[in-house]
Amino acid sequence: SGHAVTIRAGNGAEILMHVGLETVALGGEGFSVHVAEGQAVKAGDPLIGFDLDLLARRAKSLITPVVITNPEAFLIVRRAEGLETGAGGFLMELAPVVGAAVVETASEIEVFREIVVPLAHGIHARPAARIAETARGFAAEISIVAGGRRASARSPVGVMALAVKLGDHVSIVASGADAAAAVDAVAALIEGGMGEKAGEVAAKVEEAPIVVAAPSEPAEPGVLRGVMAAPGLAIGQAVRLAVEAINVAEAGQGEPAELAALDGALEAVRSRIASAAETGDPARKAILAAHLAFLEDPELTAGARKLIGEGKSAGFGWRRAVGGYVEALRGLGDRRLAERVDDLIDLERQVLRALLGLEEETARALPAGAILLADELLPSQLMGVDPTRVAGFATARGGPTSHVAILAAAMGLPALVAVGPGALEIADGTALILDAEGGRLRVAPGADALAAAQSAIAARHERRAAAKAAAHQDSATACGARIEVFANVGSEKDAKAAAANGAEGCGLLRTEFLFLDRDTPPDEDEQAKEYQAVATALDGKPLIVRTLDVGGDKAAPYLPIPAEENPALGLRGVRVSLWRPHLLKTQLRAILRVQPLGQCKIMVPMVGSLSELRAVRAVLEEAKRELGITDRIELGVMIETPAAAVTADLIAAEADFLSIGTNDLTQYVLAMDRGNPELAARIDALHPAVLRMIDQTCKGAAKHGRWVGVCGGLASDLAAVPVLLGLGVTELSATAAIVPEVKALVRTLDLAACKTLAAQALDQTSPEAVRDLTKSFQAGA
C-alpha cells in the first residue's frame, strides 16, 4: 500500500518509516513509491512520495513513527527530541546489542523471537538445511539474526555462515501474513534440537582450510600421525585420489541461454542426489538432504544469476557464488563450519560437470583392500566407491567431524584425517597399515609389522565371534571374582538389544529420551509406562535409572535455563532437578511404580556434594510415603566431577553405590571440552590424572563397603578393563554391542595381576604410556 518503507543499513540495523497512523487503510491512495524492494539507496534518494493534504483529511494522524525493527540487535543510545529538523539532520544513534533479553512482539509489520540454540554443534549444514526446508513452507520472509548479522532462513549456506554455536542467542524475524506461525515453526524446530542436542559435506579454492592438528609426539620412522575420524585397523595398499581441475569460460553466451543452462544443471544434479538419498543409512541420507538444500539455496543461486545478468557464463557465476561462501565459512574461525567447505566444493564440481556436459565422475576401479589417500575427500567421492574394495582412508587435511568422517563411521571404514602432506607423497601400491584408534599410518611396513597387524585383525574377528557365542555366560574373573557387566540404554529397544548381547542388567538408563524434543515434560503415567517397558525387556535384571540429566549441551524448551557463559559449569544434572523439584518428584514417583519393586535403582547425575544427595533423598522419601512404599530403594550417585571424586568417602557414607561417568570426569579433570575436535586426540580417559580420580573414588567407597561401577565410555574400552578392575571397580556398564567382548575379557583376567597393573598405571606420565602398559599386559596374559 506504499505507506511505509524499511531501510537496512550497512551494519544490519533496520529502520522502518511509517507515514501517518492507520494509513494502511488507504490502500495506497495518496502515495507513490520511488524504490523497489532490495534496491541499494544512498542519502538524498527519494523513497516514498505522498499527498500531504489528502493524508491530513483521511489519515488518523500525520505522526510518522521511525522504528528500529530489530531491537534484539540494536539499541537507540541517543536521539533528538522536541525540535525541528531538515534533510540530513540528526535523528538517532544506534549501537549493537550483545546478549539482549528475550523479546517477543507482533505487529502488522514484523514478528520476532529470541531463543537459545540447544544444538550440540551449533547450526551447521544439516540443521541449516532443516531450517530452510521449514521456512519454505511459509509465505512470510523469515530471517535468522545472530551477532548483529542476518541471513534468510531459506538460505542454508547463509544461516550456516552466521556461525551459530551451542548456547548462542539468536532471533527469528518474520514479516508477512503468516509471520507469527513461521516464527513459531522455526523456533520450535531449533529448540527441539533436530536430534542433535548434545548429550545425543572446477578447481578448489586454493586457500587451505582449518584442520585439526595431529597430536605431537616424537616422530617414528615410517609412521605418519593423524587424528581418528572413524575407528578400526586395516591392512591394504595405497591408492591416491585427486580431483581434476574444471575450467570454465568467464564470458557468457547471452543471459537467456546461460540461465537456462544453470537451471538445467541444477535440476540434473538435484535429481541425481534425490535418487541417491532414497537408499542407504541415516547418516548418508542426512548428508544428501543437506546437499539438496544447498542446491535450493535462493541466495546461492541468486548470486550466480546476478553474475549471469552481468554477462558472465553460468559456470563462472556458479563458481564465483560458491567461492564467496567458501571463503566466508573458512574465515569464521569455526572449525566445524570450515569442515563443511568440502560439501560446497563437492556441489560446485557436480554442477560444473553438468553444465559442461561431462559425464558423472565414475568411481575409479580399485584393487581389493585399497586404502585411499587424498588431500581431502569429497562426500560424493566416498559415497561413489565400492565399499567392498576399500579398507580405509587417510587424508592430509580435514577434521574428525566432517561429513566424510561421519560417512566413514557409518560405512565401517577406519579413517584418519590431518595426517599432513606426507600422505600425498606415498606412491600408489605401497603397503600400508592403518591404525585409526592409534592415530598411525604405517608406510611400507616390514614383514614383522605386517604379520603382527594381520594377527591382530584375525584375533579381533575370532575374539568377537567367540565372545558372541559365550555372551550369556556369567561374568567372573579367572580367579572367581564376580564382575557385573551391564549395558547403557536409552529406550526399550536398546534394552532388548542389551539383553540379546548378554548384558546382566542396565547400568545407566538415560531418561532424557522422554524429556527432550517436546514442549512439555512427560507426566508420571507416561514415564512409569516407559520405565516399566525397559524393566520388562530386561526380564527382571537390575535397572539403574539416572534421573533427568539436562542442561549444558542438553536443553529442554520447557526449562528456561538462564543464559550461561559456560553451560558445562552451570545448571546441569542434579542442579536442574533441585532447581525444579516438582519434575524430580514426578520422575521419582514414576520410577517407584515399576514392578517388581526393587528392580530399579536410582542414580543421581553430576553430584558435587553430599548436600545434593541428601536433598534428592528427602524428595525420594517423600515420594515413597505418598505411594505407601516402605522398602529400601537404592540411591546412588554418578561421580563426574573432581569434587565428587575427592570426597567420595564422604558421599559413600550415605550413597548406596557410586558409578563413575568417565566422559564428563575426563573433561573436567583435564580441563578439555570433549566436544572440541581440536582436542579430540588428547582427551583420553586413561590419563593418569583421571585414573587417580577413579582410584580415590574406589578407596572412598571401600571405606563404607559400597560398590563402584563405571558407566562412561571407559567401560567400553577393552584396554581399560583390567586397569579398572585393578582399581576396585566391580561393575562395568558398556555399549550393548561390546558387552560380549567385555565379558569374555573379564573371564581371562586375574584380579591380583590387575591390581599390579593398576598400581603401575597410576605412576605413568601420559595416557599413551598407560595404553602401552595395558597392551603389554594383555599380550602376556
Side-chain angles (χ1 to χ4, degrees):
S1 55
H3 69 289
V5 65
T6 301
I7 293 177
R8 180 183 299 160
N11 63 357
E14 296 192 352
I15 302 99
L16 164 71
M17 290 169 284
H18 190 289
V19 180
L21 299 184
E22 297 188 6
T23 45
V24 66
L26 297 178
E29 184 181 359
F31 291 96
S32 56
V33 179
H34 300 283
V35 289
E37 184 171 352
Q39 178 181 332
V41 296
K42 61 183 183 298
D45 287 350
L47 303 175
I48 292 176
F50 50 89
D51 183 336
L52 190 57
D53 289 336
L54 185 145
L55 296 186
R57 296 193 308 271
R58 304 276 302 278
K60 182 174 181 178
S61 171
L62 291 178
I63 292 174
T64 295
V66 180
V67 181
I68 307 306
T69 64
N70 54 343
E72 77 285 354
F74 290 88
L75 183 70
I76 301 172
V77 296
R78 185 166 61 97
R79 75 187 76 204
E81 295 180 301
L83 53 84
E84 291 185 355
T85 187
F90 175 83
L91 288 180
M92 65 183 81
E93 178 182 353
L94 306 181
V97 172
V98 178
V102 175
V103 180
E104 188 170 348
T105 65
S107 73
E108 62 179 316
I109 305 300
E110 279 193 335
V111 177
F112 62 89
R113 177 181 303 165
E114 184 177 281
I115 63 172
V116 178
V117 174
L119 305 179
H121 302 292
I123 300 181
H124 56 95
R126 294 186 300 281
R130 294 277 304 278
I131 291 169
E133 180 184 11
T134 299
R136 284 194 294 270
F138 295 89
E141 291 297 323
I142 314 167
S143 298
I144 308 292
V145 180
R149 293 182 299 132
R150 186 179 185 123
S152 167
R154 291 188 175 89
S155 169
V157 182
V159 170
M160 215 168 48
L162 294 175
V164 175
K165 299 181 177 63
L166 169 68
D168 281 357
H169 289 249
V170 302
S171 291
I172 303 161
V173 185
S175 59
D178 54 0
V183 167
D184 288 344
V186 174
L189 178 68
I190 297 173
E191 291 181 318
M194 292 181 263
E196 298 199 9
K197 285 184 177 178
E200 222 194 65
V201 1
K204 292 185 181 179
V205 178
E206 290 302 320
E207 180 183 348
I210 301 173
V211 298
V212 177
S216 60
E217 61 178 48
E220 184 179 350
V223 174
L224 299 176
R225 293 283 295 167
V227 174
M228 182 181 76
L233 175 67
I235 300 172
Q237 58 178 298
V239 175
R240 295 174 58 181
L241 294 183
V243 292
E244 57 182 290
I246 299 176
N247 298 315
V248 296
E250 180 174 350
Q253 301 298 313
E255 184 175 355
E258 297 295 340
L259 287 175
L262 178 62
D263 288 340
L266 290 172
E267 181 54 37
V269 176
R270 184 182 296 111
S271 176
R272 188 163 61 239
I273 293 176
S275 177
E278 293 177 357
T279 59
D281 57 82
R284 170 191 171 97
K285 290 179 178 178
I287 291 167
L288 290 173
H291 284 194
L292 281 173
F294 288 165
L295 283 177
E296 295 170 358
D297 189 318
E299 294 191 7
L300 193 60
T301 53
R305 295 178 193 282
K306 180 175 183 296
L307 288 167
I308 289 173
E310 296 172 1
K312 307 299 183 183
S313 71
F316 182 89
W318 176 251
R319 171 170 284 173
R320 181 65 62 85
V322 172
Y325 277 112
V326 166
E327 293 175 3
L329 291 177
R330 283 177 171 163
L332 290 172
D334 185 299
R335 210 167 295 281
R336 187 176 182 87
L337 293 178
E339 290 172 5
R340 296 296 173 261
V341 162
D342 282 349
D343 295 281
L344 288 174
I345 292 174
D346 198 345
L347 288 173
E348 176 201 337
R349 292 183 57 80
Q350 292 184 57
V351 172
L352 290 180
R353 293 186 71 86
L355 277 169
L356 297 175
L358 301 175
E359 294 184 3
E360 182 181 354
E361 287 182 290
T362 56
R364 175 178 169 182
L366 299 175
I371 294 180
L372 307 179
L373 303 176
D375 182 26
E376 289 185 284
L377 275 177
L378 300 177
S380 64
Q381 286 181 294
L382 188 56
M383 285 187 277
V385 301
D386 180 354
T388 65
R389 312 290 290 179
V390 178
F393 71 80
T395 61
R397 299 188 289 176
T401 60
S402 65
H403 277 164
V404 288
I406 295 170
L407 286 169
M411 296 168 70
L413 296 177
L416 284 177
V417 294
V419 173
L424 305 180
E425 299 170 2
I426 301 171
D428 277 352
T430 303
L432 300 172
I433 298 175
L434 175 61
D435 179 6
E437 287 145 87
R440 294 178 177 88
L441 180 66
R442 191 175 294 276
V443 183
D448 291 344
L450 279 172
Q454 288 167 345
S455 297
I457 292 172
R460 179 177 293 190
H461 289 312
E462 291 177 8
R463 185 173 63 245
R464 287 176 177 171
K468 184 69 174 177
H472 293 279
Q473 296 179 13
D474 287 341
S475 176
T477 64
C479 59
R482 179 77 170 100
I483 303 295
E484 295 177 309
V485 179
F486 290 178
N488 299 334
V489 307
S491 66
E492 178 187 5
K493 180 181 178 182
D494 289 350
K496 290 178 178 178
N501 279 295
E504 299 172 320
C506 168
L508 167 63
L509 173 61
R510 302 181 181 92
T511 59
E512 294 75 52
F513 77 99
L514 276 171
F515 288 82
L516 300 178
D517 301 326
R518 55 191 299 162
D519 296 326
T520 58
D523 61 21
E524 182 181 321
D525 289 341
E526 181 184 355
Q527 291 188 58
K529 179 182 177 182
E530 294 290 344
Y531 302 151
Q532 184 65 62
V534 173
T536 301
L538 292 172
D539 195 23
K541 297 181 179 69
L543 170 58
I544 299 177
V545 183
R546 181 175 69 185
T547 57
L548 182 61
D549 186 16
V550 296
D553 58 356
K554 294 175 287 187
Y558 49 83
L559 284 174
I561 296 175
E564 299 173 309
E565 185 173 346
N566 191 337
L569 302 181
L571 279 173
R572 289 196 61 192
V574 68
R575 300 169 189 170
V576 172
S577 294
L578 297 177
W579 178 54
R580 292 293 184 266
H582 64 284
L583 292 178
L584 173 63
K585 186 175 179 181
T586 299
Q587 184 172 32
L588 293 176
R589 283 176 57 94
I591 297 170
L592 291 171
R593 288 170 55 183
V594 174
Q595 298 298 318
L597 183 65
Q599 180 183 357
C600 289
K601 300 175 175 63
I602 299 170
M603 183 164 65
V604 187
M606 290 300 295
V607 168
S609 67
L610 184 58
S611 62
E612 291 171 332
L613 173 63
R614 287 172 174 170
V616 174
R617 191 178 288 282
V619 179
L620 174 61
E621 292 302 319
E622 183 179 348
K624 286 172 59 181
R625 286 194 299 272
E626 291 174 356
L627 295 173
I629 295 173
T630 57
D631 294 10
R632 179 173 178 79
I633 304 297
E634 290 191 41
L635 179 66
V637 303
M638 286 189 75
I639 304 296
E640 301 173 273
T641 66
V646 299
T647 59
D649 58 329
L650 304 178
I651 294 173
E654 299 186 25
D656 294 307
F657 62 89
L658 307 180
S659 187
I660 302 169
T662 52
N663 299 351
D664 270 320
L665 181 62
T666 300
Q667 79 165 343
Y668 290 134
V669 169
L670 301 182
M672 293 183 183
D673 180 359
R674 59 191 176 102
N676 186 334
E678 185 173 1
L679 302 176
R682 299 169 59 190
I683 300 176
D684 191 334
L686 278 180
H687 193 291
V690 180
L691 295 180
R692 291 188 178 207
M693 289 289 178
I694 296 172
D695 180 51
Q696 194 160 354
T697 299
C698 292
K699 289 176 177 175
K703 289 183 180 180
H704 303 280
R706 310 301 189 195
W707 62 266
V708 176
V710 171
C711 60
L714 204 58
S716 301
D717 187 339
L718 296 177
V721 168
V723 177
L724 295 175
L725 300 194
L727 292 174
V729 172
T730 59
E731 181 251 28
L732 300 167
S733 192
T735 57
I738 204 169
V739 162
E741 291 182 71
V742 175
K743 293 179 74 174
L745 174 59
V746 167
R747 297 187 197 105
T748 68
L749 300 175
D750 177 80
L751 209 52
C754 289
K755 289 179 179 178
T756 300
L757 171 67
Q760 295 171 339
L762 294 175
D763 290 333
Q764 301 304 305
T765 59
S766 69
E768 291 81 13
V770 173
R771 291 195 176 276
D772 288 341
L773 188 67
T774 61
K775 188 180 297 184
S776 299
F777 173 84
Q778 295 192 36

